[in-house]
């Protein structure tokens, strides 16, 4: 699946493939606050739990989950604040 | 670690009820013969089996000839799904089920699909409650042979809308199978179902006994090779001493159920409130109100579920988890996934008749430190 037209391209890709949850979420939580507000970070993670846990982390932390991509699989997160 | 262990996994297997132990030992001496034979020892075994069936049926409010004992709750669930589908194969080959059924039901559904049938999974909301409109739409579709709905989530405790789901099924002429493993012996089972299953070790009976109830008039056909035992619903000689113990403990558990629910629900409320307040970055999941009285589930951000279970075990607490690292398949719980809630660092706590206020207090006193230590070890404090 791909995101909507006009979706911001990720400024950075975090490759967490081969890592088991919660590691991809921890890497995301470390890196996203270092990016400017509005920037999109793509997390590549092949642990199936990431598909659940990255959107859940965004909800708990008030960050914006933008889209999931089959390739990677990848998860785009925008720093909302 | 010097304190006595605290067992908090009744939703997997409740500690045996004292009545179960007494009945099991008595029936070992008296109920070893094959109840189908025509001699004195067999007649005694037949009397014990008939009495167990009458007692279990009376507790559930069903007819004795509607109830069969099975070798496990899983076997009962497989029989319910595959038999319900087989009995209505002339109508169609579609199974409608919630996304949060027990894996025994989903595995039976996979078998059905592998054999050329189809299955429709109906979603739940963030609290783990069935999307009733989607369920009603799905059962109205042509070719639906059977619908399956778990009575309450075995992972997060959210009670499902069984009565309105049964009404939707009745309007569509589709039989409803209810997996009542977490209800029977604890809370009343809603009416309207056609097939029901339960598992004795969830209510304090022995392991290795399931219940399969098929209401009169339901088109159900055994999916197993022919065998005349248990009204032809489940093959093989039943484990009669265990069946006797299951029936006796069911009656005892059901008699105490309302009082136990009233005692345990406030303890679950206490756990929900204190975990949310005293463990940082935790998500308490499941419906806070419309839930089972004995179960609470939460997920701790940045914590590895397997590490958390081991740490709790070292401190003397037995709990279970839906985190992927604790499953043999390395997949997160399909229930947490369907709800869209955090799956790592997940803990399910389930209470039982031996759980004391002191047990719960000790768990609540030690949990925040255990989680904090794991987070410090992983270097995720303050994230």
């Amino acid at each position: 699946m791909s995101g909507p037209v006009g979706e911001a391209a990720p400024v950075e890709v975090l490759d967490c493939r081969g890592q088991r949850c919660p590691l991809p979420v921890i890497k995301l939580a470390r890196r996203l606050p270092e990016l400017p507000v509005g920037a999109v970070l793509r997390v590549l993670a092949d642990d199936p739990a990431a598909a659940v846990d990255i959107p859940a982390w965004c909800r708990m932390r008030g960050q914006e989950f933008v889209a999931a991509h089959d390739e990677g699989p990848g998860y785009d997160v925008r720093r909302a604040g | 670690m010097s304190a006595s262990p605290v067992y908090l996994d009744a939703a997997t297997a409740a500690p045996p009820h004292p009545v179960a132990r007494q009945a099991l030992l008595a029936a070992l001496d008296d109920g070893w013969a094959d109840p189908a034979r025509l001699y004195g020892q067999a007649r005694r075994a037949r009397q014990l089996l008939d009495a167990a069936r009458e007692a279990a049926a009376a507790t559930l409010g069903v007819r004795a000839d509607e109830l069969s004992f099975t070798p496990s709750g899983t076997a009962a669930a497989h029989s319910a799904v595959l038999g319900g589908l087989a009995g209505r194969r002339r109508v169609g080959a579609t199974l409608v089920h919630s996304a949060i059924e027990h894996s025994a039901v989903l595995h039976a559904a996979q078998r059905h699909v592998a054999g050329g049938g189809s299955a429709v999974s109906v979603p739940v909301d963030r609290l783990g409650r069935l999307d009733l409109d989607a369920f009603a739409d799905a059962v109205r579709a042509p070719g639906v042979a059977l619908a399956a709905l778990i009575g309450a989530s075995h992972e997060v405790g959210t009670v499902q809308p069984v009565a309105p789901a049964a009404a939707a099924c009745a309007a569509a002429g589709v039989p409803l199978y209810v997996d009542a493993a977490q209800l029977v012996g604890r809370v009343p089972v809603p009416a309207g179902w056609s097939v029901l299953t339960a598992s004795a070790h969830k209510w304090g009976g022995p392991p290795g006994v399931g219940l399969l109830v098929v209401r009169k008039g339901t088109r159900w056909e055994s999916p197993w090779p022919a065998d005349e035992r248990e009204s032809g619903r489940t093959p093989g000689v039943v484990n009669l001493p265990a069946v006797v113990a299951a029936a006796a403990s069911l009656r005892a558990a059901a008699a105490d159920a309302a009082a136990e629910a009233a005692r345990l629900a406030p303890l679950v409320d206490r756990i929900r409130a204190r975990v949310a307040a005293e463990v940082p970055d935790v998500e308490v999941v499941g419906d806070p109100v419309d839930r089972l009285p004995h179960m609470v589930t939460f997920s701790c951000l940045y914590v590895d579920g397997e590490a958390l279970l081991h740490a709790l075990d070292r401190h003397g607490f037995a709990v279970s988890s839906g985190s992927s690292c604790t499953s043999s398949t390395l997949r997160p719980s399909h229930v947490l996934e369907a709800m869209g809630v955090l799956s790592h660092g997940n803990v399910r706590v389930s209470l039982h008749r031996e759980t004391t206020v002191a047990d719960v207090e000790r768990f609540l006193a030690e949990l925040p430190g255990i989680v904090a230590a794991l987070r410090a070890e992983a270097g995720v404090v303050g994230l």
Side-chain angles (χ1 to χ4, degrees), chain A residues 20-22 25-26 29-30 47-49 52-53 56-57 59-61, chain B residues 126 281 283 302 324-325 331-332 337 340-344 379-380 383:
Chain A
R20 281 168 53 183
C21 268
V25 176
I26 291 171
R30 284 209 176 104
D47 183 331
V52 183
D53 288 355
W57 178 85
R59 182 167 45 75
M60 290 172 77
R61 280 288 186 262
Chain B
R126 179 71 41 78
D281 292 323
E283 186 171 41
Y302 309 135
S324 55
C325 47
R331 288 197 66 87
E337 197 171 9
V341 298
L342 198 67
S343 77
H344 67 246
V380 297
L383 264 190

Side-chain angles (χ1 to χ4, degrees), chain B residues 149-275:
Chain B
L149 178 60
I150 193 166
S153 170
H154 60 300
E155 290 202 28
V156 302
T158 301
V159 169
Q160 301 302 313
V162 170
C169 287
V174 171
L176 176 67
Y177 157 48
V178 171
D179 167 5
Q182 296 297 340
L183 306 185
V184 169
R186 290 193 180 276
V187 293
V189 179
W193 48 269
S194 296
V195 183
L196 177 136
T197 62
S199 178
H201 69 152
K202 312 293 189 192
W203 70 64
V209 180
L211 298 184
L212 169 66
V213 188
V214 180
R215 296 318 296 264
K216 282 287 169 228
T218 304
R219 287 177 184 270
W220 184 93
E221 187 180 313
S222 173
W224 314 118
D227 190 297
E228 75 277 15
R229 297 170 198 281
E230 294 301 297
S231 306
R233 296 193 193 106
T234 188
V237 179
V238 297
N239 179 350
L240 185 54
V243 161
V244 169
S249 56
L250 174 57
R251 189 161 47 189
D256 293 343
E260 273 297 281
R263 186 179 75 86
L264 297 179
L267 290 178
V268 166
D269 283 338
R270 187 185 303 196
I271 298 171
R272 291 186 72 95
R274 292 263 302 275
V275 166

Side-chain angles (χ1 to χ4, degrees), chain B residues 7 37 84 112 116 123 129 148 172 175-176 182 186 214 235 268 278 282 350-351 354 359 362 377:
Chain B
Y7 183 82
R37 296 300 176 213
H112 174 64
R129 188 176 168 89
L176 176 67
Q182 296 297 340
R186 290 193 180 276
V214 180
V268 166
E278 295 171 18
V282 73
S350 47
L351 315 181
E354 295 175 10
D359 292 340
R362 185 156 88 78
E377 202 176 301

Side-chain angles (χ1 to χ4, degrees), chain B residues 34-56:
Chain B
D34 185 333
R37 296 300 176 213
L38 301 175
Y39 35 72
Q41 295 91 334
R43 280 192 292 277
R44 179 64 191 133
R46 168 58 64 183
Q47 284 169 356
L48 287 173
L49 180 57
D50 289 348
R53 195 185 318 282
E54 292 284 351

Side-chain angles (χ1 to χ4, degrees), chain B residues 4-8 316-319 355 359-360 362-363:
Chain B
S4 59
V6 175
Y7 183 82
L8 299 172
F317 300 107
V319 299
T355 306
D359 292 340
V360 169
R362 185 156 88 78
F363 177 76

